Every structure is written in structure tokens, then in C-alpha cells.
Amino acid sequence: MSKINDIYQEVILDHNKSPRNFKQLENATQHLEGYNPLCGDKLTVYLYVKDGIIKDISFLGSGCAISKASASMMTDKLKGKSKSEAEDIFQSAHDMLTGKMKNDDDILKQGNLAALSGISEFPMRIKCATLAWHTMRAALNGTHQPVSTE
Ligand code: ZN
């Protein structure tokens, strides 16, 4: 398992060092801020949705490695997905990050995001990892109220 953990560690470091889709979206149809006061993570998720499809998604902000890596992987996973696919992806990501997903095969199906599966053992970090996801979902549902994990 330790070899897998090393690979996972590298995935997180890589996404933290070079976050994907880390920019403002000029043509965003929705954007929303999310805060995790417990850790100080603060980010904005931008969505460009057309015909029910997430044509583009990005984020900006500052926070710990886990919040940033999770947001970065989320944008990779959701680009090109329909709203209902995004909801399914949110549910399984949320299940995994909060430790509800117990089956190793299910966890591995999460791809790179599986690198964050270990954080479910650290309740303080769960909020870091789920922040971008909750913010994305609220933005997608048309919420204008910033998301706070508190
Ligand atoms: Zn954090």
C-alpha cells in the first residue's frame, strides 16, 4: 500500500503545484465563492454552462494543498459533463471524501481523486477536500449565497 500512497502523494503535490484550470472564466455563466473558515481556504468556482452541459469550469483562490488539489481535480473531472452527470460525480466524490465509500474498487474508479481518499480519516481535512465540490454544486444550482463549510 505504501507505494500507492507515494503515487497518491505525488498526485496531490502535482495538482497543488500546477493546479488545472486555475483562472477566472471570462464567459462564466455562474460563479460562486466558497470558504472554509476552519482552515482558511477560500476559493471561487467559475462555470460556463450551455445547453445543460458544463462547457468550461475553473477556479481561483488560496488554501491548503488538499483544498487546491481537490478543486483542481474536480475541474478536470467535470469539464464536458451534463448537470445530472455532475450531480452523480459530486455524490460519489462526496461519499469517498467523507469515508462513506468503503469498497476499494469504487474508490479506484474515482481516478486521481482517489489520492484524497485517505483524508476521510481526518475530519478537519474533509472540509478542505469538499469545499470546491460544495461550491461547484451550489453554483450549478444557481445559488448566489457564498458557501461556507461552517
Ligand atoms: Zn484546508
Side-chain angles (χ1 to χ4, degrees), residues 36 38-41 63-68 124-125 127-129:
N36 174 19
L38 221 58
C39 177
D41 309 316
C64 65
I66 289 173
S67 67
K68 223 163 151 184
M124 293 273 289
R125 309 323 298 269
K127 288 180 175 178
C128 301

